[in-house]
Amino acid sequence: MKQAYPIPARAGIGLKPSHYRDALDNVGTIAWFEIHAENYMGAGGAPHVWLERLRSSFPFSLHGVGLSLGGAEALDREHLANLRTLIDRYEPGLISEHLAWCRRDGLFFNDLLPLPLNEESLDIVVRHVEQTQETLGRRILVENPSSYFAFETSTSEEPEFLSELCKRSGCGLLLDINNVYVSACNNGFEAGSYLDTIQAEQVGEIHLAGHAVEHLEDGESLRIDDHGSRVCDAVWKLFEKFTGRCTGVPVLVEWDTNVPSLSVMLEEAAKADMILERVSSH
């Protein structure tokens, strides 16, 4: 079994197949990699050959998108078993999933679908997180979603829901600041006020990403969490403000569509590191 290298409190990037070779030329420059669990659920093949090589030089975190923690149905035991196999094989420093659902009646939807924030949903998610942590033998982080509308049946605000989830299940929070900003713009609340109510001690990792703006026929705009561009200035400002009271936490710069060269991703990570250094020096 491999040693679980801890994730440093620096900015890492998502591992992309197009960057496998270049990554090995940047040992010492790249702080850590996030790998998407579902891309590596299989016994072997070229992707695992590369992962084995990269794992000897870089810390890994494991980020899942298919567990459906917020779904009303029972968790997929085969999916959980596959996650456990990956964890045993690569010993990631952090493990994370989303506050969302993506399975119904045996069907998998290629979207992270939202759920109402109420006591019934909380009970389901707590139960699923506890089952996941027991099966994996590890604590997980749960990521706040990007949202495009609010449920009338919600009875709590998202930071309150997430905080209670952490308290009841023992999980931590993966705080995606871009998701907060996208949701705030789409639903008409203040992103800064949202972040002010987050309990910093529950945050185990921070995500940053770019997003797209879709202009609608009625003159309104919708922000889409597509991870396909550089982090926008507003998100950088929110990040700098939040890290003033949440230090020592790893940061990930996501870029999953329109993937650029490795050098561009490293520029974004370097910008995040500069902000971390500036905040820590004050």
Side-chain angles (χ1 to χ4, degrees):
M1 182 177 292
K2 295 177 175 62
Q3 178 185 359
Y5 297 136
I7 306 298
R10 293 178 53 200
I13 59 176
L15 179 61
K16 303 302 172 190
S18 59
H19 300 151
Y20 286 158
R21 294 183 185 277
D22 289 342
L24 291 172
D25 295 329
N26 283 274
V27 176
T29 301
I30 302 170
W32 58 280
F33 278 117
E34 177 189 86
I35 62 173
H36 283 184
E38 286 75 12
N39 291 341
Y40 298 95
M41 286 185 175
H48 282 286
V49 172
W50 281 108
L51 277 194
E52 291 285 355
R53 293 181 65 186
L54 292 164
R55 182 62 181 81
S56 64
S57 300
F58 302 99
F60 281 175
S61 74
L62 187 69
H63 188 56
V65 298
L67 196 51
S68 200
L69 290 176
E73 298 180 343
L75 296 182
D76 185 321
R77 291 184 179 275
E78 182 179 358
H79 193 91
L80 270 176
N82 288 334
L83 279 174
R84 179 60 189 260
T85 298
L86 275 176
I87 291 166
D88 290 344
R89 185 170 185 174
Y90 293 108
E91 283 292 329
L94 291 172
I95 303 162
S96 55
E97 248 290 355
H98 293 81
L99 181 67
W101 65 277
C102 56
R103 294 178 185 272
R104 179 71 178 177
D105 296 330
L107 298 176
F108 175 80
F109 305 99
N110 194 29
D111 289 288
L112 295 169
L113 301 169
L115 56 149
L117 304 179
N118 54 37
E119 191 65 28
E120 181 181 8
S121 294
L122 182 59
D123 287 342
I124 290 171
V125 181
V126 168
R127 184 168 64 251
H128 287 167
V129 169
E130 289 176 338
Q131 180 186 354
T132 298
Q133 293 181 144
E134 181 178 356
T135 301
L136 302 182
R138 294 280 299 275
R139 177 177 182 255
I140 69 169
L141 306 178
V142 176
E143 179 179 346
N144 58 293
S146 54
S147 59
Y148 305 92
F149 57 86
F151 285 93
E152 292 183 353
T153 52
S154 291
T155 56
S156 68
E157 299 297 325
E158 191 170 277
E160 176 189 0
F161 187 96
L162 291 164
S163 178
E164 193 63 25
L165 170 62
C166 291
K167 291 176 183 177
R168 293 192 194 182
S169 69
C171 74
L173 175 61
L174 194 172
L175 180 65
D176 190 312
I177 294 181
N178 179 65
N179 285 358
V180 173
Y181 181 71
V182 165
S183 298
C185 292
N186 289 339
N187 295 309
F189 64 84
E190 290 293 328
S193 297
Y194 178 114
L195 292 173
D196 287 342
T197 61
I198 289 292
Q199 297 191 34
E201 69 275 7
Q202 295 178 332
V203 178
E205 183 184 343
I206 293 172
H207 272 190
L208 301 169
H211 62 268
V213 181
E214 182 177 329
H215 298 286
L216 307 178
E217 293 181 358
D218 61 2
E220 298 293 326
S221 61
L222 185 70
R223 294 180 186 261
I224 308 295
D225 179 36
D226 68 345
H227 302 175
S229 58
R230 291 181 183 269
V231 179
C232 74
D233 288 343
V235 171
W236 283 124
K237 290 176 182 177
L238 289 168
F239 169 62
E240 182 160 4
K241 179 182 178 182
F242 183 76
T243 54
R245 65 183 185 89
C246 185
T247 58
V249 175
V251 178
L252 180 85
V253 179
E254 298 181 285
W255 203 317
D256 297 320
T257 62
N258 305 315
V259 177
S261 65
L262 181 63
S263 62
V264 171
M265 295 180 69
L266 291 179
E267 287 174 7
E268 292 290 272
K271 187 170 183 178
D273 278 333
M274 287 178 60
I275 291 172
L276 292 175
E277 291 173 8
R278 182 162 66 240
V279 169
S280 65
S281 65
H282 290 167

